Amino acid sequence: MANMAGDVVVPFAQGTARILTLSGVRNLDAWKRAFQDKCKDHRYYELIEETLANDFEYHYALVEDGSGNVRGIQPIFFVRQNLVEGMRGAFRKIVDLVRKIFPRFLTMRVLMVGCAAGAGDLGECDAKDERWIAEALGATLRNYARASRASLVVFKDFPASYRSVLAILSNNSYGRVPSMPMTRLALSFQNFDEYLQTLGYVSRKSLRRKFRKTERAVKIDLEVVNDITPHIDGAYPLYLQVHERSPMKFETLTKEFFCRIAQIMPERARFFIWRQSGKIIAFSLCLVCGDTIYDECLGLDYEVALDLHLYFYTMRDVIRWAIDRRLRYYCSGPLNYDPKLHLGHELAPLDLYVLHTRPLLNPIFRFAVKYLEPTRHDPILRKFPNADQL
């Protein structure tokens, strides 16, 4: 591993990986091609770095072959990670007690591969190069991470569709464990009422009762906009309310993130805003890409959210909107699995590929991580019909 003109250079058998900053890749044609067929393309990664800069240390692995052809650019970042984030019960209580004296107990500096705010993708310039990129990253990142004083390398939240490609990481001693999955609902319905008919009697009756109760309250108005900026002061505190109640936290999105995503990705960003007597009581950021709507994050006013069943009410309105536009899939982020199970969602598995940077410790870590991985501690996940895909 060498350092040239401020850039880290990591050679491997088929080429070279150069670790650059955003300024080093922003104007490259390869950077724009790397995620051109993904919902979260290069614009999204730039936005994440520029608005979540305080939490992560961002870099970009530019991978080129022996002829100097750039085959891909992969976002990577350093973070100090809580290894028991998803764990509950007696062991977690013991860890919390120890952390009162040793705050960094069971935390590690980690080099993560992928996206700091969402599922990961490989940044290949040509689809046929996915496996080559995976092999190159597997061959180079351990040395770079160890030189950067990181204990772990983690490919973060890669969809199950990458499993055949990322299996090659096992050649470099990575192990795969499930991450908290997203969920997906196929929208093969003419309208929302037809969707309700596909649910079980108890779920269907419960939803209708919730909707009637909400609609008997003060009228709720829905507005769908591309730009949240004029409404951000009323909406952002609601995002923080939901975020703070979450049992698992990784990134905290900022006001700037919400305002700028509409500016840089106007064809994809959609904000759903619900008001009661003119006051914003809920909002949702969604990304529309191809035949799918991705419900990225939700904000709720908990002074009224539980009484008005806003979680279900807002999901209904987003699904209605998507059905009306003939979208085929509704995807939702991790957590809140119990209502999604009863609402007919299926799991959309995400994977972590993990490696300890010290070869002697890696076999022990790969064994231990099976007990630390978060899905083990959520019993609802096992009830989904496709739970075996985790």
Side-chain angles (χ1 to χ4, degrees):
M1 187 164 59
N3 191 299
M4 297 175 58
D7 300 331
V8 178
V9 179
V10 188
F12 61 101
Q14 291 79 35
T16 301
R18 289 196 290 143
I19 311 301
L20 306 175
T21 61
L22 180 58
S23 62
V25 301
R26 188 194 292 271
N27 296 321
L28 299 179
D29 182 63
W31 174 233
K32 297 175 176 58
R33 298 201 319 271
F35 296 94
Q36 59 187 347
D37 60 340
K38 309 296 194 303
C39 180
K40 294 174 179 174
D41 59 21
H42 71 283
R43 298 172 296 175
Y44 187 85
Y45 286 90
E46 292 174 11
L47 175 64
I48 289 299
E49 171 165 352
E50 292 166 352
T51 61
L52 277 70
N54 292 333
D55 298 319
F56 308 104
E57 178 187 331
Y58 299 92
H59 299 277
Y60 301 81
L62 182 150
V63 188
E64 53 191 12
D65 60 26
S67 300
N69 298 315
V70 178
R71 306 282 284 272
I73 299 177
Q74 185 64 49
I76 58 178
F77 59 96
F78 290 99
V79 64
R80 179 159 289 277
Q81 181 65 19
N82 175 11
L83 298 184
V84 295
E85 181 68 38
M87 186 170 287
R88 300 293 177 265
F91 181 77
R92 178 58 184 268
K93 292 178 181 177
I94 294 172
V95 171
D96 290 341
L97 286 174
V98 174
R99 283 178 174 167
K100 292 182 179 179
I101 303 172
F102 303 103
R104 291 191 172 186
F105 179 63
L106 283 183
T107 68
M108 289 184 177
R109 177 169 162 85
V110 179
L111 173 61
M112 290 200 169
V113 184
C115 185
D121 284 300
L122 289 178
E124 76 286 345
C125 294
D126 191 307
K128 72 179 187 324
D129 283 337
E130 275 190 347
R131 185 177 177 85
W132 193 92
I133 295 297
E135 186 173 11
L137 295 172
T140 57
L141 291 182
R142 184 208 294 264
N143 291 340
Y144 170 63
R146 188 167 178 178
S148 303
R149 299 182 179 179
S151 299
L152 303 178
V153 181
V154 177
F155 282 68
K156 172 186 172 286
D157 293 342
F158 276 73
S161 57
Y162 278 106
R163 284 179 184 172
S164 62
V165 171
L166 294 180
I168 199 169
L169 293 175
S170 64
N171 294 345
N172 288 283
S173 301
Y174 285 78
R176 181 183 71 83
V177 294
S179 185
M180 300 303 280
M182 298 174 64
T183 66
R184 187 172 79 159
L185 178 68
L187 302 179
S188 54
F189 321 106
Q190 293 300 309
N191 51 55
F192 189 82
D193 287 337
E194 184 179 324
Y195 158 60
L196 282 183
Q197 293 302 316
T198 67
L199 303 181
Y201 172 77
V202 174
S203 297
R204 186 167 66 247
K205 184 177 180 180
S206 174
L207 279 177
R208 285 175 170 161
R209 183 173 64 250
K210 287 179 172 67
F211 296 151
R212 285 197 299 269
K213 179 182 177 181
T214 301
E215 288 163 355
R216 282 197 298 266
V218 177
K219 183 175 181 293
I220 296 176
D221 298 305
L222 169 64
E223 181 182 16
V224 183
V225 300
N226 292 83
D227 187 0
I228 195 69
T229 304
H231 320 287
I232 192 63
D233 289 338
Y236 186 68
L238 308 188
Y239 159 73
L240 292 179
Q241 286 190 41
V242 173
H243 181 71
E244 290 305 314
R245 290 169 68 102
S246 173
M248 298 180 67
K249 302 178 183 67
F250 188 73
E251 79 288 348
T252 301
L253 302 175
T254 62
K255 277 188 178 182
E256 184 184 5
F257 168 87
F258 288 111
C259 293
R260 287 185 55 195
I261 194 168
Q263 299 167 10
I264 68 167
M265 305 177 74
E267 78 284 9
R268 294 182 185 171
R270 298 292 183 275
F271 289 93
F272 294 73
I273 303 173
W274 292 266
R275 293 184 176 88
Q276 186 183 54
S277 301
K279 179 186 176 185
I280 298 176
I281 57 173
F283 89 101
S284 181
L285 165 62
C286 297
L287 296 179
V288 178
C289 186
D291 59 4
T292 303
I293 183 168
Y294 297 88
D295 205 339
E296 293 289 323
C297 57
L298 178 67
L300 297 173
D301 181 353
Y302 277 100
E303 289 188 2
V304 298
L306 300 181
D307 287 340
L308 296 179
H309 306 290
L310 286 183
Y311 178 81
F312 297 95
Y313 193 88
T314 57
M315 185 183 292
R316 180 199 69 175
D317 285 353
V318 174
I319 291 174
R320 273 182 173 173
W321 186 91
I323 292 174
D324 288 346
R325 282 148 187 83
R326 298 294 185 262
L327 298 178
R328 295 182 59 193
Y329 298 102
Y330 167 82
C331 286
S332 182
L335 304 182
N336 294 321
Y337 294 113
D338 186 65
K340 295 173 184 178
L341 172 65
H342 297 291
L343 292 173
H345 293 223
E346 66 174 8
L347 298 179
L350 300 173
D351 295 323
L352 307 171
Y353 296 83
V354 298
L355 172 80
H356 199 288
T357 57
R358 295 188 178 274
L360 291 179
L361 295 179
N362 192 47
I364 300 172
F365 178 77
R366 285 182 59 178
F367 175 79
V369 79
K370 295 178 182 178
Y371 297 92
L372 296 174
E373 61 90 355
T375 67
R376 289 179 61 90
H377 310 286
D378 192 323
I380 301 299
L381 289 175
R382 305 300 165 186
K383 298 181 181 181
F384 279 81
N386 67 329
D388 61 316
Q389 295 177 12
L390 290 174

